[in-house]
Amino acid sequence: MYPEHPDSFRDTLHYITILAIPVHIFGTYCILVKTPKTMVSVKWIMLNFHVCCMVLDYGISVLTVPYMIFPALGGFPLGILTEFGVPIEIQSYFILTAVPVVSSAVITMFENRYFIVFAQNTKWRHYRFLISIINYSGSLTWSLPAFFLVPDQKMAIKVALEMLGPIPSYIRNGPMYVLSLELKYVTLPCFLIASLIAVQAVIFVTLMTRELKKLKKTARFSENTLKMQRNFLHAIYIQVGVLPFIFRTLIVTVYMTSIQVPTAYFIVSIFFKIYCQSANNMGIIIFSFNGLSSTIVMIWIHKPYRDFCYKLFGIEKWRKNDSQVISQGAISSIAPNSIRNVVVA
């Protein structure tokens, strides 16, 4: 079958799921069982991010399998939720909500690191919960304007099909659903929620970088401790894709590609009215690697999990190169009492 055919698309996503399930289970096991006591402050935050990524992965590759027809803001689902009679509107809302929820989980990780290391004794401890309320509320509501203003489907499907031009009958006769004919009802809320998340990420990364420099000047901790703290923060940045310029391995490149390439193509397709069903399918397939690659990156960049893998697979000869790889970080080397004494100047 051809790559643009729904059956090929669905089967490919299912194969990815078969590959991802054992990796996700192993990643969950590492977080729950192999996270040392010295990393207890990050354990549940990392698990939250990991679970959000898994939900998004399975939502795309199993539950909904969205067959998108960009540049039209529509398509139809091929997943198991359709077999159980779940309305397309509910499936669409689920996926459109899951993506920013993962981004909100990223901000939760950043805020947790900032609070634990720098701000436990500041006024920030009284307001930090507002970040999660705002982010997760925004994630749940950003797409509602489009759903409240869904156009008449007969008319919308007709317009969407005219936009696509000549298409195969399996697309034209599919159970089509068009979310909106007006880009502003989708792109404006999407821009607002994306900007909200991006601004917070920049702020927390800047604050943590600045405070680490201040700690270095005060000589409160040794240079080795500060270096390990920086490495831990870099590990978190790698896992969520904030520092693409430090990547040196294929798997991390795949992780970044799974986010940036599909997003860039979808934006270009929508705004320049470019239709290529093979590219649409490939974009969704690449995006579905996000959770899988994120889990592999998490295991690789955090030393306790990496050491467990070395021991499990008997790769002892690689251990001598550990010093050249991103390590666990200061959270596992600074005593909990010392962390509590770190205050923003």
Side-chain angles (χ1 to χ4, degrees):
M1 284 180 284
Y2 298 102
E4 67 270 14
H5 196 279
D7 291 342
S8 297
F9 175 64
R10 181 182 56 241
D11 291 346
T12 300
L13 288 178
H14 288 350
Y15 293 146
I16 294 173
T17 301
I18 294 173
L19 177 65
I21 287 176
V23 177
H24 286 154
I25 292 175
F26 183 72
T28 304
Y29 175 81
C30 286
I31 295 175
L32 292 177
V33 180
K34 295 302 177 180
T35 300
K37 293 182 179 180
T38 49
M39 289 180 62
V40 67
S41 63
V42 298
K43 179 177 181 179
W44 301 112
I45 298 298
M46 290 179 62
L47 181 64
N48 176 63
F49 175 67
H50 181 60
V51 170
C52 288
C53 287
M54 287 194 298
V55 170
L56 177 59
D57 266 16
Y58 299 143
I60 292 175
S61 59
V62 178
L63 298 178
T64 65
V65 188
Y67 190 83
M68 305 305 299
I69 56 170
F70 298 124
L73 298 179
F76 50 89
L78 302 169
I80 62 174
L81 291 182
T82 301
E83 301 296 328
F84 286 98
V86 177
I88 295 180
E89 295 89 339
I90 300 299
Q91 297 187 51
S92 301
Y93 175 76
F94 168 60
I95 292 299
L96 291 176
T97 299
V99 174
V101 163
V102 171
S103 300
S104 297
V106 169
I107 299 302
T108 301
M109 292 178 67
F110 285 175
E111 190 282 327
N112 175 264
R113 291 301 82 225
Y114 173 72
F115 174 73
I116 291 295
V117 181
F118 304 112
Q120 290 197 64
N121 296 322
T122 69
K123 292 182 178 180
W124 176 248
R125 70 181 185 274
H126 301 301
Y127 307 108
R128 58 190 301 250
F129 71 94
L130 292 175
I131 290 291
S132 293
I133 292 177
I134 292 172
N135 289 340
Y136 287 107
S137 296
S139 299
L140 294 173
T141 59
W142 78 270
S143 62
L144 291 182
F147 284 102
F148 287 146
L149 299 170
V150 171
D152 175 75
Q153 286 302 292
K154 289 185 178 180
M155 180 270 294
I157 292 173
K158 180 180 178 181
V159 173
L161 294 178
E162 291 175 353
M163 184 187 306
L164 302 182
I167 56 175
S169 59
Y170 55 75
I171 297 178
R172 184 173 297 276
N173 298 327
M176 196 76 65
Y177 176 77
V178 177
L179 177 60
S180 179
L181 294 175
E182 297 286 343
L183 287 179
K184 62 183 178 181
Y185 296 145
V186 177
T187 56
L188 181 58
C190 181
F191 174 78
L192 292 177
I193 188 66
S195 298
L196 176 67
I197 298 297
V199 167
Q200 291 179 57
V202 171
I203 290 175
F204 280 119
V205 170
T206 301
L207 285 174
M208 288 186 286
T209 302
R210 185 188 68 182
E211 296 304 326
L212 277 175
K213 290 180 180 179
K214 286 184 178 180
L215 288 180
K216 184 177 181 180
K217 292 180 180 179
T218 61
R220 177 169 293 182
F221 298 118
S222 68
E223 177 62 28
N224 183 59
T225 295
L226 291 174
K227 180 179 179 181
M228 296 182 71
Q229 179 61 274
R230 285 194 299 269
N231 285 342
F232 179 81
L233 294 177
H234 287 170
I236 295 297
Y237 299 158
I238 289 175
Q239 188 177 353
V240 298
V242 175
L243 294 179
F245 56 84
I246 67 175
F247 293 166
R248 293 295 183 269
T249 66
L250 176 61
I251 187 59
V252 182
T253 302
V254 170
Y255 172 62
M256 290 304 300
T257 300
S258 71
I259 301 173
Q260 295 175 345
V261 171
T263 302
Y265 171 74
F266 296 153
I267 292 174
V268 170
S269 173
I270 291 171
F271 281 97
F272 292 94
K273 308 299 182 184
I274 299 173
Y275 174 66
C276 177
Q277 193 57 51
S278 295
N280 287 338
N281 292 356
M282 186 57 63
I284 298 296
I285 290 171
I286 294 174
F287 193 84
S288 70
F289 277 102
N290 177 49
L292 173 61
S293 55
S294 175
T295 302
I296 296 175
V297 169
M298 177 193 70
I299 295 171
W300 175 71
I301 62 180
H302 293 289
K303 191 172 185 297
Y305 310 150
R306 190 171 66 249
D307 286 348
F308 174 62
C309 289
Y310 287 163
K311 182 178 180 180
L312 182 64
F313 298 107
I315 317 177
E316 297 295 328
K317 64 179 181 179
W318 286 6
R319 297 175 68 87
K320 63 181 180 181
N321 295 323
D322 271 3
S323 61
Q324 299 175 2
V325 185
I326 298 296
S327 62
Q328 169 189 341
I331 295 301
S332 63
S333 63
I334 303 177
N337 290 335
S338 298
I339 295 177
R340 295 191 186 97
N341 293 329
V342 179
V343 183
V344 175

